[in-house]
Amino acid sequence: MYDQANRTRSQTFTKRLARFRRKMFHRQDPSIDAALLIRESGLFDADWYLETYADVAAAGLDPLDHFVAYGGFEGRKASPRFDSRWYMNTYPDVRASRLHPLVHYLKHGQGRAPIKRVGLKGVKTSEEDFGLAAELLTSPLFDAGWYAREHGLVNQSPTAAALHYLLVGAPAGDAAGPKFDTAAYLRAYGDVKDAGMNALLHFHRYGAGEGRRAFTIQDALQDRLSFSDRRDRVVRPSAASVSTPWRQSRSLRGGQGMAIARFGGVAVGLLRDVYDDQTEPLPESLARSLRQFCMVCGLESQEVVRARSGRAPRRVPTASPARNSDDPRVVDGWFVGDSLLRLRFERSAQPVVVRLLQATKGGRLHLVGEAALVEGEQHLVDALLWNPLEPILIVYADLGGRLSGGGLAAFPSLFRNGLHHAEVAATEIDDDITRRRERLHDTLLRQWLANRERDDFAIGRLEIDTLSACGAEHIFSAPVQEWLGRLGVGLRPTERQSLSDGEDADYLTSISQSAPEVSRSAEGVLVLAADSLPTLQALFAARADYRRGGTGALLLSDAAGAPRWSVSFPLSAAGLSDLQPVAAPLIMPTLRLSSAPNTAAARLGPLAVRTASISRLTDARSIYPVAPDSNEPVLYRTLSDRRKAKARVVALVDCQRGGAALVEALARQTMAAALRIVIVCGVGQMLDAATQEALKRLFPDSHQVVGVQGRTFGARMRAAVQAVSVGRNDTLLFCCTDINPHDPRTLETLYILTTEKNVATAGCAHVREGSFRDGRRVENQSAGIFPQRIALDACPSLTFAEMQTAEALPPATYPVAGNTMKFALTTMKVWDKLGGFDPKLGDDSELDFCLRALKAGYTHLCTSSVAVTNTQRATFASTAKRHSTQAFNLEELARLVDQTTLFRALV
Amino acid sequence: MRISVVAPSEQYMALAGVRIRYQRIASRLEAAGYTFDIKQISEIDRRVPLESDLYIFSKCYDARSVLAATFMRSQGRCVGIDVFDDYFDQTRDSELIRHREWLRAMGEFCDFFLCSTPRMHDVVARYLPHAPGHILNDPFQTYNVKDVARLAQEKAKRAIRDRRIDVLWFGIGDNPNFHVGLKDLAAYGDHLQQMIRRGFDVDLRILTNRRAMTVEGLQSIGRLSVPHVLQEWSVEREDELLTRSLLAFIPVNGQSFSVAKSLNRAVTALTASAQILSPGYPLYKPLEDFVYDTADAFIDDLEGGKMKLRRATTAALAKKLAVWGDPERESEKLIGFLKAVVETPAATKAPISSVGVIHGVRSPVDCHKAAQRLGYLSVASPMSPPKWNYDVRFVFDQDGVHAQFSGAAKVALASEFLYQLTPGVSPAGKDVVCLSIKTVLPGHPLEAFMSDADQRSQISTYFGAMHLIGDVLSRLIPGIRLHLSELESPYWLAFGDEAPGKRMRIQ
């Protein structure tokens, strides 16, 4: 029940407050909004006010409103940092001004004290000390009363207690209150001690934000007890059968000729004292890993390494004179959560303690995992990572704590379920996924270190296409943006943003921008869809690796992170941006380089890992990839009315059975006026009544029926082209009655594609009706033909197949090796130039036509931005075709493959 | 004035659309002298007189509401819709065509619309430019300011003492069309992990609908690196867990569906003394003084003893909520708006002699029943389920196409066809009367179409079948007004001469 009394009181108060404000402020200075000014000053503490003035709390009033209207004038304190009464009494002009005392102080009180300064006897205090004391008084961990009692500061103000703590207590390690043990904090964080900063102030200003812990007195006592009795602190290794004790990182203690080695303030193990404040060198593998870790994290190894609780060794130890590490290696790893990495270590020859460290923004190191591994056992070690993309330093020590070796996982995201694991899956097939990951890891690390040294990277910036994005994609997450920032890669939205409007578009634009910590000098820009991440290979490649520019390859994984497809686009696809659908996000990652491309280079490696949301591919989206009631055009490039009026398309309909549905669908096409229908029948075949009726009704003056001989589709179509008169500038539409262009924009979309220079054929996606997996009523099939397998044996051959491209490619236009010609367009010029289908080749005549076109320098385009219905049971995909390459030499074969989009299923 | 809210079923009564938006203001409307009730759409029946002056449809996204609105308008009642989920702004998405078609169809019968946010108002106004709209903020549950302050303080103290943060994520966990619910929870899970990194244990409770607990849903939250417990949502459990939890975790993504949402989840959490962490799109900007957008800011305040929701800020919260969902204020504003709507004379409509609904591939049987309950004709298409007792269906046999009519449909037939009727039996076994299309409409393309229909795919058949059936019916029953009942999105009718973006009417 809402408190009626409170509400009434509050309303009355609000009215009085308004009257008061009018009276007090508006008359003097209408520009002053006292409440805002006071709130923003930070000198008013609402909690403290309510605790101090119980009458205000009991009335349920807003403390700030009360202080503005009454409290200040009544001489109440705004907080321990501003005493209204003292201020008004000390400076008589305040009352005379009739201003609120705190407003007066903020606007006119420069150089004046806000509270009475009470110094400490025998201790010299400065104005800055008073400021720091005031800051301490705002801390909930500083208990002035408790501190005063503990230190015998009888009848002293809280400010005096704070000053005492600042200048006397803290340097001596005294607690600030029961909730903050100064000595424990300094013990735990040697860098704070080194810096000479007040521990409590450090905790509030930096420590809490960095994840450091505030120790209560009780915590600290327990820690001290356990430090003095090591048996309480030893922990058993994870294998239950082994009873060997080991020391955790925070229980490591030096002494007896051993010094604690700390990396970035984190105790990682012990090193033997040698002489004169010098320790033994780090084991070789650890020294190397540490050096690389520091390089890739942008840290100085001199700053990172500390021995003896804070004192830096005279030199950074780099090589071990005596020990050969036989520490276990990581054989596998997988993410069980977004940040929870589980590493599997191989059997070790001797017990060993593993510590995992990560660096975060600002160069701070964190212990993210720690475990003891028993000899002869395989072990799983969990690490809750600060950032699943940042490198992990692996430190090995023996059970007594002495450092024995190290390792580096520079790219944790390559582990299974990681954001870049698809890159491992896409490497050359090899039985051992671990070896593939290790090889890729080592290659990438080498590239990174070498190119970092020369500042020679191909990519300096990412541009994000946020069309269809929702803002929850990985690229917008803090870990990814921090990681990219550390790598020197900035983010910017693409110009396609302008297609969207509204608050959501503004929001997406705002989160697509981030500046790197230190920019790379690279001028290359990688343009990505928002559901993508740049591949590691792209990020660490040198300029020379990508000198061809253009487009690249794409790796896909589903929502669970499992790799599904590798899709590689030919360079020619980069010039197809005008032919992409308006409503769809950017299909292919594109690399823009300022230097001229070198066309002799090999096909590019994958540029992006993209999350394909296969579950979003519904029947509706398959049938109409672009919503039919949308007012937007299908493709960026459109056809002017003038060109549409001039267009002439001859539809050659292979009429095997009733063609009425196809004729009706053609009549509904937006380019129906340009159509002339030629029904191609076998000699003696009768056209059914429904088709005849439809032709008469819908194409009364622009249809004809021809009877031709021919066993195959290709032979009949060739005969039909010869039988009818087709103009040199006409376009041919090959179709059959099993196909239905249910979307009225299909013909126009394909026609636009054929107007592109050097395009031989244009086809689109096919959907088949039936009962399919997951209860779907349609199945997608690309009518485009893709090279599936190359056999370079005694009889070299290429195997082609259609693919279920809609799973891997959302609406897009892409080059293919050919189109199934059951619903495809070509121009009469191309037909003439290539000599049409070869009737001798039977069912292979369409593929042969397409391959001859490729050989002659043409391209075939397929688009999944429109679809047709296909009732054929057997499709090209179900009978993958093997095409002899005798007609092609190897060079031509390579060029053919290079002109085509390639798909590969990943496992 | 008598006001009725019409919900699709009893199940929807407990959901936010009805529970939050109407049950919380019902008593106030009644106190102001208005009769107010919530009905199920199945209660709208021609044989039962309409008692209310004004009807508001809530979450009725199928043809039943179009038929009911047609009926109400024919009875001189004021009709409106309440739209608070944005299924209408994604004009590029084929999956949501049926929602857009529904809104366009309802637009013809709506005198007004209600919505929950200014953004939703803009979206709906694009479809219904003639209708006045009103923003009804989701009213909050009444609460006690002092209890909120006390409980918030206790929770914060407990969290500091135990170094444990009780977190609650609550809400609908799935949506077939949008990346929301559990997927958002998973996508923004790093904020919860950050709390662990900052030295706190996190106890996450997830309260969601059973339907969302699919393999995919569980897989999503399985990637959260924080311990969690999943429970089925209920009002009582939501109250209990919000009261227990220090933090309500409400991530919001930036897609149009999500950014059109109201403030209700945040308001519910705040009035139950929970702090709010809402990373992502700043949906709760109006309440920004009480909402965290990063885990670090939340932990900083927790450790600093200055949570955004605490004793010192509860008075300010009360002031803020009074603007954004005070049930009293919202009911007053709603009454003012509805009064003006009722007083404005509706545009006169030509009387409709007959109304029919053609069933498509996936039409709910309730729609068939609703049509007959309202005295309208239920018409079969070649794609609709064969066994229903339709008023009109078309049958093809060796003699050509016959239209079969029930007794109710026979009454509506133009008089010149009555003498050509012959008796027959429907596939459902009912006595019907038949008309030979070949006889009454010689040369009509429906004849050729149906002879060829079994050779066609359903997708390609759909458009032709619907249009030809519509054409035949409009000749046999002059003046008939036809609606389409279709829950399957791809089957869309705006083809032919109509420009894309405009709806073709079947008549």
Side-chain angles (χ1 to χ4, degrees), chain A residues 1-3 6-7 9-10 14 39 45-47 50-51 57-58 60-63 65 138 140-141 203-204 208-213 335-340 384-388 417-419 467 469-472 478-479 499-500 502-504 507-508 559-561 582-583 613 615-616 618-621 623-632 657-661 664 668 688-690 693 697 740 742-745 767 769 777-778 869 871, chain B residues 89-97 100-101 104 119 140 142-146 153 160 163 176-179 183-184 186-190 193-194 196-199 216 219-220 222-225 252-256 259 279-282 289 296 299-300 303-307 310-313 315-316 318-319 326 328 361 443-445 448-449 451-452 454-461 463-464 468 488-492 494-496 500-502:
Chain A
M1 184 63 199
Y2 187 80
D3 191 332
N6 267 352
R7 174 186 281 205
R9 208 161 20 208
S10 181
T14 307
R39 190 172 60 203
D45 184 333
D47 298 275
L50 285 179
E51 275 171 25
L61 299 175
D62 186 299
D65 284 347
T138 63
L141 303 180
F203 176 72
H204 283 301
E210 293 165 2
R212 302 194 195 209
R213 178 183 164 199
F335 281 88
V336 288
D338 283 336
S339 298
L340 190 57
L384 182 63
L385 303 182
W386 277 73
N387 188 325
N417 296 338
L419 294 173
L467 208 64
C470 74
L499 285 167
S500 310
E503 290 166 37
D504 44 340
Y507 167 69
L508 291 169
V582 171
S613 192
S615 60
R616 278 183 53 81
T618 61
D619 290 352
R621 292 171 188 140
I623 296 169
Y624 294 111
V626 177
D629 62 338
S630 165
N631 284 320
E632 291 170 332
R657 51 181 187 159
E664 286 161 13
R668 287 196 294 271
D688 67 289
E693 186 278 329
R697 179 163 48 91
N740 191 290
H742 57 268
D743 189 332
R745 302 161 299 182
V767 290
E769 287 181 282
R777 297 152 58 93
V778 299
T869 316
T871 54
Chain B
D89 196 27
Q90 305 78 9
T91 53
R92 294 161 177 165
D93 190 349
S94 307
E95 189 59 42
L96 298 168
I97 290 175
R100 297 195 288 271
E101 286 291 284
R104 288 176 190 128
R119 187 187 164 97
F140 56 72
T142 49
Y143 67 99
N144 184 309
V145 176
K146 284 188 175 170
Q153 195 164 348
I160 287 286
R163 301 296 288 180
N177 299 303
F178 300 105
H179 181 295
K183 289 178 183 165
D184 271 348
Y188 292 95
D190 188 60
Q193 291 149 21
Q194 184 63 9
I196 297 178
R197 296 181 192 118
R198 293 281 302 263
E216 196 186 0
Q219 204 175 27
S220 305
R223 288 187 65 95
L224 288 170
S225 302
V252 181
N253 73 52
Q255 68 189 327
S256 57
V259 306
Y281 181 80
D289 290 345
D296 282 327
I299 296 288
D300 288 347
E303 292 191 319
K306 297 257 167 118
M307 303 304 297
R310 61 185 196 278
R311 190 169 62 166
T313 61
K319 274 197 269 180
D326 184 341
E328 205 140 324
V361 172
H444 194 279
F449 180 89
S451 70
D452 185 46
D454 61 337
Q455 294 181 23
R456 299 163 182 243
S457 75
Q458 201 168 61
I459 298 165
S460 56
T461 305
F463 174 83
L468 293 173
E488 200 72 46
S489 267
Y491 303 101
W492 186 74
F495 293 160
K502 290 184 183 170

Side-chain angles (χ1 to χ4, degrees), chain B residues 171-233:
Chain B
I172 301 289
D174 66 334
N175 185 301
N177 299 303
F178 300 105
H179 181 295
V180 288
L182 296 181
K183 289 178 183 165
D184 271 348
L185 169 61
Y188 292 95
D190 188 60
H191 291 263
L192 299 176
Q193 291 149 21
Q194 184 63 9
M195 294 178 195
I196 297 178
R197 296 181 192 118
R198 293 281 302 263
F200 285 85
D201 291 334
V202 171
D203 181 2
L204 170 66
R205 300 295 172 111
I206 301 168
L207 211 49
T208 191
N209 51 320
R210 184 180 285 263
R211 190 188 60 196
M213 298 178 193
T214 59
V215 171
E216 196 186 0
L218 298 176
Q219 204 175 27
S220 305
I221 55 174
R223 288 187 65 95
L224 288 170
S225 302
V226 293
H228 53 269
V229 175
L230 185 66
Q231 287 177 287
E232 188 173 2
W233 180 90

Side-chain angles (χ1 to χ4, degrees), chain A residues 559-639:
Chain A
R564 294 290 293 262
W565 297 96
S566 167
V567 186
S568 172
F569 296 104
L571 279 175
S572 56
L576 300 179
S577 54
D578 278 1
L579 301 177
Q580 297 303 328
V582 171
L586 189 73
I587 179 60
M588 55 198 88
T590 308
L591 183 60
R592 277 203 321 256
L593 294 178
S594 53
S595 54
N598 173 2
T599 50
R603 184 181 278 255
L604 302 179
L607 290 175
V609 179
R610 186 168 190 186
T611 305
S613 192
I614 290 165
S615 60
R616 278 183 53 81
L617 187 68
T618 61
D619 290 352
R621 292 171 188 140
S622 298
I623 296 169
Y624 294 111
V626 177
D629 62 338
S630 165
N631 284 320
E632 291 170 332
V634 174
L635 305 179
Y636 281 101
R637 185 176 301 170
T638 53
L639 209 55

Side-chain angles (χ1 to χ4, degrees), chain A residues 739-818:
Chain A
I739 307 288
N740 191 290
H742 57 268
D743 189 332
R745 302 161 299 182
T746 307
L747 180 63
E748 186 170 341
T749 305
L750 297 188
Y751 186 84
I752 291 170
L753 298 186
T754 56
T755 60
E756 179 76 358
K757 196 180 169 194
N758 275 346
V759 169
T761 68
C764 65
H766 288 200
V767 290
R768 284 197 302 144
E769 287 181 282
S771 297
F772 301 99
R773 64 194 161 102
D774 303 332
R776 290 196 56 189
R777 297 152 58 93
V778 299
E779 185 180 65
N780 289 67
Q781 202 73 33
S782 167
I785 301 169
F786 300 87
Q788 196 186 35
R789 201 172 301 119
I790 304 174
L792 296 174
D793 47 24
C795 180
S797 66
L798 262 177
T799 304
F800 293 93
E802 281 184 312
M803 309 289 287
Q804 300 230 345
T805 48
E807 276 195 355
L809 289 178
T813 303
Y814 41 88
V816 287

Side-chain angles (χ1 to χ4, degrees), chain B residues 47 52 60 68 90 96 108 165 169 197-198 239 243 277 306 329-330 332 349 389 408 411 424 437 444 453 460 478 494:
Chain B
R47 293 160 294 185
S52 295
C60 299
Q90 305 78 9
L96 298 168
E108 295 177 37
I165 299 169
W169 183 94
R197 296 181 192 118
R198 293 281 302 263
D239 288 345
T243 308
L277 172 58
K306 297 257 167 118
R329 192 176 159 138
E330 292 305 323
E332 276 170 22
K349 296 266 177 185
N389 185 23
V411 175
I437 297 300
H444 194 279
S460 56

Side-chain angles (χ1 to χ4, degrees), chain A residues 479-495:
Chain A
V480 171
Q481 296 210 346
E482 275 175 24
W483 174 69
L484 289 170
R486 190 105 82 86
L487 296 178
V489 179
L491 254 67
R492 217 186 262 178
T494 60
E495 288 177 5

Side-chain angles (χ1 to χ4, degrees), chain A residues 35-243:
Chain A
L36 185 68
L37 194 65
I38 290 172
R39 190 172 60 203
E40 290 183 349
S41 73
L43 289 175
F44 179 76
D45 184 333
D47 298 275
W48 182 91
Y49 196 79
L50 285 179
E51 275 171 25
T52 308
Y53 303 112
D55 56 327
V56 181
L61 299 175
D62 186 299
L64 179 61
D65 284 347
H66 183 273
F67 178 69
V68 172
Y70 301 107
F73 296 98
E74 291 167 1
R76 301 192 195 216
K77 293 176 181 174
S79 66
R81 299 166 65 189
F82 186 81
D83 185 340
S84 305
R85 186 182 307 283
W86 182 84
Y87 187 75
M88 287 192 289
N89 290 342
T90 308
Y91 306 108
D93 59 317
V94 180
R95 283 190 201 279
S97 73
R98 298 177 65 186
L99 278 174
H100 187 284
L102 183 46
V103 171
H104 184 281
Y105 172 71
L106 294 169
K107 293 192 75 71
H108 310 294
Q110 202 173 9
R112 294 180 173 184
I115 49 172
K116 187 180 179 183
R117 303 292 196 209
V118 182
L120 285 170
K121 281 183 185 172
V123 181
K124 198 176 173 186
T125 52
S126 66
E127 190 62 29
E128 189 193 351
D129 294 335
F130 276 100
L132 295 175
E135 192 178 337
L136 283 171
L137 285 171
T138 63
S139 163
L141 303 180
F142 182 73
D143 187 335
W146 179 91
Y147 187 88
R149 279 195 302 280
E150 287 286 305
H151 291 82
L153 303 172
V154 185
N155 294 331
Q156 295 278 346
S157 69
T159 307
L163 280 170
H164 189 277
Y165 172 70
L166 182 75
L167 302 170
V168 182
D174 294 347
K179 292 180 186 170
F180 191 82
D181 188 309
T182 310
Y185 191 81
L186 293 174
R187 229 179 4 252
Y189 306 113
D191 56 327
V192 182
K193 192 176 178 185
D194 289 350
M197 191 176 173
N198 179 281
L200 184 52
L201 288 174
H202 179 274
F203 176 72
H204 283 301
R205 288 182 187 174
Y206 315 109
E210 293 165 2
R212 302 194 195 209
R213 178 183 164 199
F215 299 86
T216 64
I217 289 182
Q218 200 167 353
D219 286 341
L221 274 173
Q222 276 175 357
D223 280 358
R224 276 177 205 154
L225 282 173
S226 55
F227 290 163
S228 61
D229 181 358
R230 286 186 182 174
R231 278 173 305 180
D232 291 345
R233 297 301 303 164
V234 294
V235 181
R236 304 287 170 196
S238 48
S241 59
V242 182
S243 57

